[in-house]
Amino acid sequence: MSKTLQAIRGMNDILPEQTPAWRYLERTLADLLDSYGYREIRLPILEFTELFARGIGEGTDVVDKEMYTFLDRNEESLTLRPEGTAGCVRAVLEHGMTGGGQVQKLWYAGPMFRYEKPQKGRYRQFHQIGVEVFNLPGPDIDAELIVLTWRLWKKLGLGDAVTLQLNSLGSSEARVAYRDALVAYLQERFDRLDEDSQRRMTTNPLRILDSKVPETQALLVDAPRLHDYLDAESVAHFEGLKARLDAVGIRYEINQKLVRGLDYYSRTAFEWVTDKLGSQGTVCGGGRYDGLITQFGGKPTPGVGFAMGVERLVLLLETLDLVPAELSAPAHAYICAFGEPAELAALALAEQLRDAVPGLRMLVNSGAGSFKSQFKKADKSGARFALILGEDELANRVVGFKPLRDDSEQQNIAWDALAERLAACIDQA
């Protein structure tokens, strides 16, 4: 017997019971981004592998261990995108969108892919909504992105469930100086580092700061501090960002160990974290990447952005019971039709009612069936009312109007009055 077909581990179906929460989150954020003047860009899922190797950085966990990479029929190495920023940078360069100092404020959404150990809130196919801004170098745009996410949390009811962590990574020169000091410090304690941190010593030592191993974190207590190595311009930029957040009233924590997992960040780095989801606490993160476009062969172009994980935010909304109940509300009405003439009339009537009653949710019986079976389907659908069409109703141009959620009696309502009656019932709900 053949093996039962099922989804690939870590790549999950999003079932109809789950999609209302996804649509609510996506719609809320899309409306918010529209109100701030951001425009949507849609990017390929597949890119040349070199894009991520150059952009994310050789030696990062993403490039070394987590990418889905394969050779196509032309023997070219392709990769399922593990994140969105590199592809967005490629797109604006390819289409000349940043030339002449053009400011671009863009957003995108869709699936990303990383070969990780699947667990609650972490999957191999996961979904992100990302925002990228180009050609604005100051702390004002960094602040706008953080304010935008803060406004989203308020709209979703998550304001008290997330905390903003903030850091400055300084210039590339400052990071090199700090990296050298950190490596010198850790080299003396190399044997006491965990295996991953030992490997990162030669590939990406700043990522050791983010180690989850308690013994490694204990070693870092007396390590050199990143902010002691910041250049004057980065300090001024960071102070400007903090001043703007203070002016709006956004609380934040300074976390000098916050370095993010990708090599392209510089200066501002931030994360919104929660303690409501166990170990998977980051729901949104981003920062500035002023040197990334030059890595791809473009002219120096400031860039800043963030990405948020849709699965984790949906999980957080569900955990805190913040998904509006009306998103999964059943139909208002279910039309039962008996006989082909009634079925034809029901189809036309349903379209007239949908035109006349904004927001009406209505089901029309399919597959014919007896009076009893159609009423059973109407009741099972959760609809509030059954609309009944048979020979007598057709002859008299009326519809049987039967409440299904209380003991009210069935009434006959003229076709011309039905839209007004349904609209009144919707308003009273």
Side-chain angles (χ1 to χ4, degrees), residues 153 162 272-274 277 280-285 307-309 312-313 316:
W153 311 141
V162 293
W272 288 97
V273 299
T274 182
L277 298 178
Q280 306 305 324
T282 301
V283 295
C284 174
M308 55 182 61
R312 289 189 193 177
L313 282 171
L316 185 57

Side-chain angles (χ1 to χ4, degrees), residues 246-299:
D246 292 339
V248 180
I250 298 179
R251 297 190 302 273
Y252 52 85
E253 300 173 354
I254 304 298
N255 178 4
Q256 292 194 43
K257 294 179 181 178
L258 174 60
V259 294
R260 306 289 294 146
L262 310 175
D263 272 1
Y264 50 62
Y265 286 108
S266 60
R267 291 192 176 168
T268 302
F270 69 90
E271 287 185 354
W272 288 97
V273 299
T274 182
D275 60 2
K276 311 297 183 184
L277 298 178
S279 61
Q280 306 305 324
T282 301
V283 295
C284 174
R288 184 162 282 281
Y289 46 86
D290 292 341
L292 185 56
I293 284 188
T294 56
Q295 288 180 226
F296 291 162
K299 295 180 179 179

Side-chain angles (χ1 to χ4, degrees), residues 212-340:
K212 302 299 187 291
V213 178
E215 292 79 7
T216 297
Q217 280 299 320
L219 289 178
L220 292 169
V221 170
D222 297 321
R225 298 172 64 84
L226 175 59
H227 285 200
D228 293 336
Y229 291 80
L230 293 185
D231 54 291
E233 289 185 7
S234 294
V235 171
H237 187 102
F238 196 49
E239 292 301 317
L241 171 59
K242 291 191 294 181
R244 286 163 174 79
L245 298 181
D246 292 339
V248 180
I250 298 179
R251 297 190 302 273
Y252 52 85
E253 300 173 354
I254 304 298
N255 178 4
Q256 292 194 43
K257 294 179 181 178
L258 174 60
V259 294
R260 306 289 294 146
L262 310 175
D263 272 1
Y264 50 62
Y265 286 108
S266 60
R267 291 192 176 168
T268 302
F270 69 90
E271 287 185 354
W272 288 97
V273 299
T274 182
D275 60 2
K276 311 297 183 184
L277 298 178
S279 61
Q280 306 305 324
T282 301
V283 295
C284 174
R288 184 162 282 281
Y289 46 86
D290 292 341
L292 185 56
I293 284 188
T294 56
Q295 288 180 226
F296 291 162
K299 295 180 179 179
T301 304
V304 62
F306 68 76
M308 55 182 61
V310 178
E311 280 87 350
R312 289 189 193 177
L313 282 171
V314 168
L315 181 60
L316 185 57
L317 289 170
E318 292 172 342
T319 299
L320 300 179
D321 197 22
L322 292 173
V323 180
E326 60 268 22
L327 295 177
S328 302
H332 295 112
Y334 188 106
I335 300 183
C336 301
F338 306 98
E340 186 169 354

Side-chain angles (χ1 to χ4, degrees), residues 121-296:
R122 184 183 290 272
Y123 307 104
R124 291 177 177 175
Q125 176 178 308
F126 58 99
H127 296 75
Q128 285 187 343
I129 300 173
V131 173
E132 316 291 352
V133 180
F134 302 98
N135 271 323
L136 289 174
D140 48 358
I141 190 62
D142 302 21
E144 178 178 281
L145 292 181
I146 293 172
V147 170
L148 188 157
T149 54
W150 172 68
R151 181 167 293 277
L152 175 66
W153 311 141
K154 292 198 296 181
K155 282 181 172 289
L156 296 174
L158 295 172
D160 294 330
V162 293
T163 300
L164 174 62
Q165 294 189 351
L166 203 61
N167 194 20
S168 176
L169 303 178
S171 65
S172 57
E173 294 80 9
R175 283 198 311 284
V176 168
Y178 175 66
R179 172 185 169 132
D180 291 344
L182 180 64
V183 168
Y185 172 85
L186 292 176
Q187 196 66 54
E188 297 177 358
R189 299 157 179 82
F190 185 83
D191 293 341
R192 295 158 62 190
L193 293 172
D194 63 274
E195 186 176 337
D196 265 353
S197 295
Q198 290 179 347
R199 178 179 56 82
R200 286 172 172 159
M201 281 282 286
T202 56
T203 58
N204 197 352
L206 265 63
R207 291 290 291 143
I208 299 174
L209 298 174
D210 196 35
S211 171
K212 302 299 187 291
V213 178
E215 292 79 7
T216 297
Q217 280 299 320
L219 289 178
L220 292 169
V221 170
D222 297 321
R225 298 172 64 84
L226 175 59
H227 285 200
D228 293 336
Y229 291 80
L230 293 185
D231 54 291
E233 289 185 7
S234 294
V235 171
H237 187 102
F238 196 49
E239 292 301 317
L241 171 59
K242 291 191 294 181
R244 286 163 174 79
L245 298 181
D246 292 339
V248 180
I250 298 179
R251 297 190 302 273
Y252 52 85
E253 300 173 354
I254 304 298
N255 178 4
Q256 292 194 43
K257 294 179 181 178
L258 174 60
V259 294
R260 306 289 294 146
L262 310 175
D263 272 1
Y264 50 62
Y265 286 108
S266 60
R267 291 192 176 168
T268 302
F270 69 90
E271 287 185 354
W272 288 97
V273 299
T274 182
D275 60 2
K276 311 297 183 184
L277 298 178
S279 61
Q280 306 305 324
T282 301
V283 295
C284 174
R288 184 162 282 281
Y289 46 86
D290 292 341
L292 185 56
I293 284 188
T294 56
Q295 288 180 226
F296 291 162

